[in-house]
């Protein structure tokens, strides 16, 4: 079986497990009062999509330490996908995003619940925020009731706390940096804490800690996971502006309209001519951008070398990840799987 087929099977297991868990939790919420049904439905909407890479990294963190196949471990790993779902809901609120995966985001979809409400937009945003909070709580519940021994879970709890704290720190850094002067180094710091760590490094470490991995292997997981996580988000930034919306499910104008401190825009602004700098500044933060305006931003990003620079950053980080993997003392099966996941994470088209 190829690594791609193996990941597809693992993803199917994670999808099924999450579907069953969320169904029970959503029904319990809806049972409290009939008017909560649309809110409960958002639990399904936000957890029904995903590449399940975070759970996969946790799974292979466990297997890389020599532990056998375990359904309980898959449950624990799947909990990290609920953390991601919570982050997605909150991120869409912060960014005022209207679509994700081609569908209305939570705070947009929930407006229909508030027909006749005095403040439907504010009310829908409040409901979406609470959906995100509930998903974070559900993540902890799934993790602690996974079926793994309590001693195993105790080893990983400190990193679970770090994951949550650093994820929030990254979101805060993005808010604080939005609209600030372009700074490529600051942009990388944002993606390191907002995405990189909780996408690859922390899931791997959690899997390793659950498995009782030695400190040397845990360090190898960090040496592999941090640069790969950054490469993942740098690719996401490129896809945000240049990707096919039919594949990415995202509006290519979103990052521009949100004036987000991406490394791509930081490099474009710092390398732009005075005229180009002025053009970009006029585009950044505009609520409604035309296709022509988005295309102009793409042209400037290419002309300034920003696209090539970000591609170089991705390739350098992917190389670091593969080097760390080559030196790591882990099982052959896990090495193959993590090598394949590295390539998928850094070179994907959606």
């Amino acid at each position: 079986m190829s690594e791609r087929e193996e990941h597809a099977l693992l993803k199917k297991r994670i999808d099924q497990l999450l579907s069953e868990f969320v169904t029970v939790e959503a029904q319990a919420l809806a049972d409290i009062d009939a008017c909560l049904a649309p809110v409960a439905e958002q639990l399904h909407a936000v957890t029904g999509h995903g590449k399940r890479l975070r759970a996969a990294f946790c799974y292979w963190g466990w297997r890389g330490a020599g532990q056998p196949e375990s359904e309980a471990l898959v449950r624990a790993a799947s909990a990290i996908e609920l953390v991601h779902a919570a982050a997605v809901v909150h991120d869409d609120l912060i960014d005022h995003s209207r679509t994700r995966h081609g569908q209305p985001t939570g705070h947009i979809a929930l407006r229909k619940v508030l027909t006749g409400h005095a403040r439907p937009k504010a009310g829908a945003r409040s409901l979406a925020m609470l959906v995100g909070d509930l998903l974070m709580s559900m993540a902890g519940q799934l993790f602690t009731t996974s079926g793994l021994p309590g001693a195993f879970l105790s080893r990983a709890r400190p990193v679970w706390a770090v994951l949550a704290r650093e994820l929030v720190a990254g979101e805060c850094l993005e808010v604080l940096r939005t609209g600030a002067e372009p700074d490529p180094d600051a942009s990388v710091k944002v993606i390191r804490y907002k995405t990189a760590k909780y996408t690859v490094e922390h899931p791997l470490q959690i899997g390793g800690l659950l498995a009782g991995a030695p400190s040397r292997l845990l360090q190898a997981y960090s040496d592999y996971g941090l640069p790969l996580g950054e490469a993942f988000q740098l690719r996401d930034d490129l896809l945000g502006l240049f990707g096919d919306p039919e594949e990415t499910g995202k509006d290519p104008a979103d990052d521009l309209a949100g004036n987000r401190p991406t490394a791509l825009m930081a490099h474009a602004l710092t390398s732009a001519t005075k005229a180009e700098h002025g053009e970009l500044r006029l585009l950044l933060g505009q609520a409604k951008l035309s296709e022509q305006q988005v295309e102009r931003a793409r042209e400037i990003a290419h002309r300034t070398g920003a696209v090539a620079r970000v591609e170089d950053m991705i390739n350098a980080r992917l190389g670091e990840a593969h080097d760390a993997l080559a030196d790591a003392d882990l099982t052959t099966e896990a090495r193959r799987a993590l090598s394949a996941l590295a390539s998928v994470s850094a070179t994907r088209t959606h």
Side-chain angles (χ1 to χ4, degrees):
M1 183 185 301
S2 69
E3 283 76 22
R4 184 182 295 273
E5 291 170 327
E6 191 163 22
H7 178 68
L9 287 175
L10 177 59
K11 181 183 181 300
K12 185 176 180 180
R13 290 172 65 190
I14 294 163
D15 286 342
Q16 182 64 31
L17 191 154
L18 286 173
S19 177
E20 292 172 358
F21 179 78
V22 171
T23 295
V24 171
E25 292 300 311
Q27 188 59 56
L29 179 64
D31 285 345
I32 294 171
D33 192 291
C35 72
L36 291 171
V39 181
E41 178 55 36
Q42 283 304 304
L43 296 174
H44 289 289
V46 75
T47 58
H49 301 274
K51 304 172 187 67
R52 311 310 188 198
L53 291 175
R54 293 162 183 84
F57 283 120
C58 184
Y59 175 85
W60 287 111
W62 164 274
R63 295 296 302 276
Q67 290 284 7
E69 163 62 35
S70 165
E71 188 65 24
L73 185 280
V74 174
R75 286 179 61 82
S78 297
I80 303 175
E81 293 295 331
L82 294 178
V83 173
H84 175 56
V88 163
V89 174
H90 289 151
D91 199 46
D92 287 342
L93 278 170
I94 293 167
D95 294 339
H96 298 275
S97 297
R98 298 183 62 85
T99 62
R100 186 176 286 269
H101 300 297
Q103 299 296 319
T105 51
H107 66 100
I108 298 297
L110 285 165
R111 289 182 189 178
K112 66 183 179 183
V113 180
L114 298 168
T115 303
H117 193 277
R119 299 173 63 208
K121 291 183 181 180
R125 289 180 63 83
S126 297
L127 291 175
M129 177 186 69
L130 294 168
V131 168
D133 293 346
L134 180 55
L135 284 163
M136 187 65 81
S137 174
M138 288 165 56
Q141 179 188 347
L142 181 58
F143 185 75
T144 56
T145 61
S146 62
L148 288 172
F152 287 28
L153 296 173
S154 293
R155 291 195 294 251
R157 280 198 184 99
V159 174
W160 185 275
V162 171
L163 181 155
R165 179 172 62 249
E166 294 190 344
L167 171 56
V168 170
E171 287 283 6
C172 290
L173 286 172
E174 182 175 67
V175 171
L176 293 166
R177 289 292 308 167
T178 294
E181 284 302 306
D183 184 337
D185 290 338
S187 294
V188 170
K189 190 170 189 178
V190 169
I191 68 173
R192 180 178 303 142
Y193 286 94
K194 181 187 172 186
T195 304
K197 282 178 166 285
Y198 99 95
T199 297
V200 188
E201 181 189 20
H202 290 148
L204 271 170
Q205 288 191 326
I206 287 171
L209 286 165
L210 290 170
S215 58
R216 183 177 176 184
L217 180 54
L218 294 174
Q219 183 59 53
Y221 284 163
S222 287
D223 293 342
Y224 161 91
L226 187 55
L228 181 59
E230 291 180 2
F232 175 91
Q233 184 56 41
L234 288 166
R235 176 61 62 198
D236 212 52
D237 290 346
L238 285 175
L239 290 173
L241 184 58
F242 293 96
D244 181 352
E246 291 295 321
E247 289 192 56
T248 65
K250 296 164 70 175
D251 187 334
D254 270 2
D255 284 348
L256 298 172
N259 199 3
R260 292 168 200 155
T262 65
L264 177 65
M265 279 299 106
H267 281 292
L269 285 164
T270 54
S271 301
T273 65
K274 185 176 180 180
E276 290 170 337
H277 192 282
E279 282 188 82
L280 281 178
R281 279 301 187 194
L282 286 174
L283 295 177
L284 292 170
Q286 279 198 41
K288 293 182 179 180
L289 293 170
S290 67
E291 176 57 34
Q292 290 74 21
Q293 289 173 312
V294 173
E295 185 57 36
R296 180 56 182 152
R298 292 172 178 145
E299 290 171 0
I300 295 173
H302 272 297
R303 213 285 313 158
T304 56
V307 173
R309 175 62 180 142
V310 173
E311 287 285 4
D312 287 344
M313 292 168 70
I314 291 170
N315 290 331
R317 284 160 172 77
L318 181 58
E320 287 180 47
H322 280 303
D323 288 346
L325 200 58
D327 294 336
D329 183 18
L330 75 170
T331 63
T332 301
E333 184 182 26
R335 193 187 311 278
R336 287 200 309 267
L338 290 174
S339 179
L341 284 172
S343 297
V344 167
S345 298
T347 64
R348 71 193 194 284
T349 59
H350 64 280

